[in-house]
Amino acid sequence: MTTRWTLSRRFLALSLVLTLLTGLGLALLARQTVQTQLNQMAGSLNEDAARVLKNSLWNDISSLLDIPGVPSREMLLAETNHGVLRSRLAVLMQGSEMAKVKVYNRQGVCVFSTDPAQIGERSPDHQALRLALAGQVSSGQTHRGRFDALHGQISNVDLFQSYVPIRDGEQVLGVFEVYQNVTRIKAQADQSLQGILAVLLGVLSLMLLLQYVVVRYLDQRLKLKETALANRNAELTVALEESRQANRVKSEFISTVSHELRTPLTAINGALGLMAGGALGELPSAVREMVCMANNNGARLGHLIDDLLDMEKLMVGKLRLVMTAQPLMPLVEQALADNQPYAERHGVTFLLEQRVDWVQVAVDAQRLQQVLSNLLSNAVKYSPAGAVVELTVSEGEGTVRVSVRDDGPGIPDAFRQHVFDKFSQADASDTKLKGGTGLGLAISRELIERMGGRIGFYSVPGQGACFHFDLPCNRPETAQVPAPDNGQLPRILTVEDDADMARMLGLMLNRAGYAVDCVASGAEALERLAQRSYAAMTLDLLLPDMRGQDLIRHLRQEPTTATLPVVVISVIADEAETGLGQLGKVGIEWLAKPIDQNHLQAALNRLIAPGEHGHPRVLHVEDDRELHDVVRAMAGGRFDFELATNLREARARVALERFDVVILDLGLPNESGWDLLPEIRAQQPGTRVVVLTGGEELGENEGRVDAVLKKSQVSPQRLLDAIDVRLARDTDQKGET
């Protein structure tokens, strides 16, 4: 209210000032106009008077003007009868406002004046007189307190004085100085000006009144608006509080879903998966069918929960991305491998149509896998049985594009603008026929954009669809692979003369958890092997200085390398294996180019086995015994599992026993698994720590552990990848030391 009244007063004051300034300007303009008109009228009267004088008194005046040289007063008075001339002039001036007349010759001498005392005066330097002698009329207005006129002295008079040239053709013979009494005319002009100012004042008053009325009206309207706004603010405050309450309820619900629903769901899915896989014995066909149905629907429910939680985190900005520079193709190949079983169930084949092996991208690997899985599973879901889903990787100017093309029905034109909306599907019936929540593409768009990329699609109805995303990328220039080595990673010697192939192998091996040394010839390989021991070697048979088969024979003859595991990677792998005979069957894996990371890693896993100290020991810190049984069953018989259901028991076992792996549940009742981590690192620094999470973001804590698994996504393969692959290598290296 105070602000509104202050604004109203300021507006009124500003309007008043502007109105007064406008009125003052108009008054000055009116005064100037009246004065100009008065001067023009008086000047015209003086010029008319000069013409009358010339016509009436020319004979007498001309004789005075014709006196040569500079006449004296005496000569002028003797030339003509000035008294008679003044009498005749008085008759001419009778009834007019002409007050005085003077005549000047060309030398600026006053040859006649209605005031005899001024006859004979010289004014050669008078500016107005000089202009008149030059042929210009010069006028000006003055005010006199007293003035000697022809008819006597007058007081307080306004005079208009003009110097008018006396011409004879083009020649100026002299000048009339005529004084016009404009007192009466000026009074009339002032009276007219006062009338104009009175009218102007009235108009300004009306304007001020109108402004006041308008301001009052606007003030009332503003008051009504303020009242309405205050009411609206009150409603919004209530709505905001209700929204906050709803968000609190939603957060509590999400927490319940994350901790209370995911844990039993993981146990259910794990148990069903083991049963469906035959881990508990052969099942009757009818029972097996029901178990597979329950397992599939449990997986769908898990994906639904994951999508809902991811979308919620994206909306509130709590989803943290761990961006690291890494090669793209291993991520693409891993996504194809992970989704291959789903494609096989639908009778669909994946085809990696084009690849770019050397491109690196800065992404969150887990979230990029999620995007790829969304695109691949959608392509499979909407493709008919027997179809081929094509995946293409192409490099652009500073970007790399990943495209997934299917042979499905395509995207209707009317649905194109809603493709990336939340909970959107082209046909409501798709939800029942195809499954899904309609969140996958919305999540994919958010993730790609947060990783600095763009996602899009193109489609022709009836001819399938192609979804693609672009990411910033860089192409490394050298073949040397920088590999982190903290002294505990197994080291692989890569013998490959092709720089690009050597770099790709190095990147694959780094990602699998190995340190790598690259050499380009057999001689360099022998030199490196003489300097240190390696967990394994990868070998190309076509080397520049020797055949790979000869290098293998030489290694098998040396005691220090006789049992060195070798993975042969060559285009002639099959014929070379035959040529080596029995020597090529012991401690050697044969892979034909081209290869992928899964085949390479599987070959190394078969060659590099754990030491002879028995099964690795795993401490599982988990309060849910059923989930523990499922995890132990997933891991198989290669591990010895121990269970601790609370932190007190876990601390005691960590202090008294040795473990190769600790699987840690963060959501213990009234406790946090993070509290145990410092004690594990302090007392068992070589132990691998794997966190099982209900889906909550770990943030910076993720870097404190060796692996993170979501309970809803635990599978036997993922569990083994987390606890087995590096463990086997670490154990082997510990045996060496």
Side-chain angles (χ1 to χ4, degrees), residues 150-201:
L150 179 62
H151 301 291
Q153 192 178 75
I154 55 179
S155 301
N156 196 24
V157 61
D158 291 306
L159 297 173
F160 193 84
Q161 179 184 15
S162 298
Y163 291 86
V164 183
I166 303 173
R167 297 178 180 275
D168 183 9
E170 294 297 326
Q171 184 179 6
V172 177
L173 303 178
V175 174
F176 281 117
E177 181 182 1
V178 182
Y179 288 85
Q180 190 78 223
N181 185 354
V182 294
T183 304
R184 181 178 58 82
I185 300 175
K186 188 172 181 297
Q188 293 175 351
D190 290 341
Q191 187 175 3
S192 299
L193 180 60
Q194 291 174 1
I196 294 173
L197 294 178
V199 172
L200 182 59
L201 181 61

Side-chain angles (χ1 to χ4, degrees), residues 526-703:
L526 292 174
E527 182 180 352
R528 289 294 184 95
L529 290 168
Q531 294 173 354
R532 66 173 301 164
S533 61
Y534 288 90
M537 179 178 73
T538 67
L539 176 64
D540 180 19
L541 298 178
L542 301 177
L543 299 175
D545 58 344
M546 68 173 65
R547 296 193 312 160
Q549 300 94 313
D550 296 336
L551 179 59
I552 292 175
R553 292 189 181 96
H554 179 83
L555 295 178
R556 292 301 182 243
Q557 294 173 3
E558 295 294 328
T560 57
T561 58
T563 59
L564 175 69
V566 178
V567 179
V568 174
I569 304 172
S570 176
V571 295
I572 58 172
D574 294 338
E575 57 187 85
E577 182 180 6
T578 303
L580 281 176
Q582 187 63 31
L583 187 62
K585 299 183 181 298
V586 180
I588 300 178
E589 289 284 336
W590 298 85
L591 299 178
K593 293 181 179 179
I595 65 167
D596 59 33
Q597 179 161 346
N598 291 330
H599 291 156
L600 177 60
Q601 186 169 327
L604 289 171
N605 290 345
R606 290 190 292 270
L607 290 173
I608 308 175
E612 300 298 326
H613 64 289
H615 292 165
R617 301 191 70 223
V618 179
L619 175 62
H620 189 187
V621 184
E622 172 62 62
D623 62 316
D624 189 324
R625 294 182 180 273
E626 294 179 352
L627 180 59
H628 166 70
D629 293 338
V630 171
V631 170
R632 184 176 60 184
M634 285 183 178
R638 297 175 55 191
F639 301 91
D640 292 333
F641 270 79
E642 300 293 340
L643 175 65
T645 59
N646 54 61
L647 288 187
R648 180 180 57 80
E649 183 180 353
R651 287 190 178 97
R653 305 201 71 155
V654 167
L656 299 175
E657 305 176 49
R658 297 289 101 186
F659 294 97
D660 298 289
V661 180
V662 175
I663 300 177
L664 191 58
D665 180 18
L666 299 180
L668 299 172
N670 302 320
E671 297 176 306
S672 172
W674 291 119
D675 297 337
L676 182 63
L677 187 60
E679 298 178 41
I680 298 175
R681 295 305 190 200
Q683 300 182 34
Q684 302 193 31
T687 298
R688 181 169 175 78
V689 178
V690 178
V691 166
L692 275 180
T693 172
E696 59 270 16
E697 290 297 318
L698 303 186
E700 297 180 355
N701 287 324
E702 187 170 343

Side-chain angles (χ1 to χ4, degrees), residues 164-375:
V164 183
I166 303 173
R167 297 178 180 275
D168 183 9
E170 294 297 326
Q171 184 179 6
V172 177
L173 303 178
V175 174
F176 281 117
E177 181 182 1
V178 182
Y179 288 85
Q180 190 78 223
N181 185 354
V182 294
T183 304
R184 181 178 58 82
I185 300 175
K186 188 172 181 297
Q188 293 175 351
D190 290 341
Q191 187 175 3
S192 299
L193 180 60
Q194 291 174 1
I196 294 173
L197 294 178
V199 172
L200 182 59
L201 181 61
V203 172
L204 293 178
S205 300
L206 289 176
M207 290 178 61
L208 288 174
L209 178 61
L210 179 61
Q211 290 174 4
Y212 175 77
V213 172
V214 170
V215 169
R216 289 291 297 173
Y217 172 75
L218 294 177
D219 188 61
Q220 293 297 325
R221 292 293 303 271
L222 184 59
K223 183 177 180 180
L224 294 176
K225 292 288 186 181
E226 285 182 346
T227 302
L229 183 60
N231 294 336
R232 182 59 177 165
N233 285 339
E235 294 174 0
L236 290 176
T237 301
V238 174
L240 179 61
E241 185 59 33
E242 293 176 352
S243 175
R244 289 173 177 170
Q245 179 64 25
N247 282 333
R248 284 193 291 270
V249 172
K250 181 178 64 174
S251 299
E252 293 173 0
F253 170 74
I254 291 175
S255 177
T256 300
V257 169
S258 179
H259 296 93
E260 302 300 330
L261 182 57
R262 273 189 164 186
T263 298
L265 182 62
T266 302
I268 293 171
N269 288 344
L272 291 173
L274 291 173
M275 293 174 65
L280 304 181
E282 189 66 27
L283 299 176
S285 59
V287 175
R288 179 179 179 82
E289 181 179 354
M290 291 296 103
V291 169
C292 289
M293 182 185 302
N295 189 35
N296 291 337
N297 282 277
R300 284 181 59 190
L301 180 58
H303 291 312
L304 169 62
I305 294 172
D306 289 342
D307 285 347
L308 289 173
L309 293 177
D310 284 344
M311 197 70 244
E312 171 65 18
K313 292 173 185 175
L314 286 168
M315 291 176 64
V316 300
K318 292 184 177 180
L319 188 67
R320 181 177 177 270
L321 299 181
V322 181
M323 306 287 284
T324 56
Q326 53 197 300
L328 174 63
M329 286 310 302
L331 300 177
V332 173
E333 292 165 347
Q334 184 64 46
L336 289 172
D338 290 345
N339 288 273
Q340 185 63 38
Y342 182 74
E344 292 174 353
R345 289 200 301 270
H346 287 76
V348 175
T349 303
F350 286 143
L351 173 62
L352 182 55
E353 190 176 58
Q354 180 178 336
R355 58 189 296 140
V356 181
D357 286 304
W358 324 125
V359 167
Q360 285 191 331
V361 290
V363 295
D364 184 311
Q366 178 184 350
R367 294 303 178 180
L368 186 61
Q369 289 277 8
Q370 182 178 351
V371 173
L372 288 167
S373 293
N374 280 335
L375 299 184

